[in-house]
Amino acid sequence: MEISSIHINYMDIKKAFDSVQRESLCDPVQFNKRSLSDEDRLKLLKTKWIPSSNSYIYPKNNQNRRYNKSWENDYSWLRYSPSQDGAYCSLCIAFQDHPSENPRYNEFVTIPYNDWKNALGEKRGRLALHSNSERHLKALEKVVSYYRFRIREGHL
C-alpha cells in the first residue's frame, strides 16, 4: 500500500513538473537578451504560453486590471510571460535590433508590457502603437524573409 501511494505521489509530482517545464518553454523571457538559433526563433514564433488549467486567472496589476488572452486574436505576435506577468512581441524578440536608452522603445522586447489599462484604445492603445512602430515593422519584414528562406530551403 505504501509503495503505490509513493508511486502516485511521484506521478503527481512528475506531472506537475512536466507542466511547469512545458509552460516555461513557451515563456518569451527565455529567448530574451541572447542570440537565438533557428530552432529558438521558430519556437518563439510558433508557440505561445498556454496555462495548464482552463480555469487559470491572469493576475491583476496595481490598477486592478489583467492581461486579456483575447488580445492575441488581433495581435498574433503577442506573447504572455507568466514569469513577468507581462506581454512581449515574438517578432521583435526573434529579430532584435540594438536596445535603446528609451524604455518605450524596448517595451515588448526586453521590457514586459503590463499597463493593461492602455493596451487598447485610439489614443494610447500600446498594442496598436507597437504593431505600427518602425521597430516592429522592420522585425516583421525580417520574419517574412526568414520564412521565405526556410521554405525555399525546404526547412518548413
Side-chain angles (χ1 to χ4, degrees), residues 2-15:
E2 286 182 34
I3 292 175
S4 66
S5 68
I6 290 171
H7 179 69
I8 291 170
N9 289 337
Y10 169 75
M11 292 308 289
D12 288 344
I13 291 169
K14 182 176 180 344
K15 185 178 177 183

Side-chain angles (χ1 to χ4, degrees), residues 86-136:
Y88 288 88
C89 175
S90 61
L91 308 182
C92 292
I93 292 174
F95 293 96
Q96 286 187 46
D97 58 4
H98 301 289
S100 167
E101 295 296 318
N102 179 353
R104 284 277 190 210
Y105 185 79
N106 298 319
E107 196 172 58
F108 291 103
V109 185
T110 58
I111 298 172
Y113 177 79
N114 57 13
D115 179 11
W116 310 131
K117 177 181 178 184
N118 293 308
L120 302 178
E122 288 182 32
K123 292 183 181 177
R124 294 183 294 177
R126 294 297 302 152
L127 296 176
L129 287 172
H130 177 77
S131 209
N132 293 309
S133 70
E134 183 180 347
R135 180 180 202 172
H136 181 81

Side-chain angles (χ1 to χ4, degrees), residues 46-59:
K46 289 184 171 189
T47 60
K48 294 182 180 190
W49 179 76
I50 299 170
S52 58
S53 165
N54 288 338
S55 60
Y56 181 81
I57 298 174
Y58 291 90

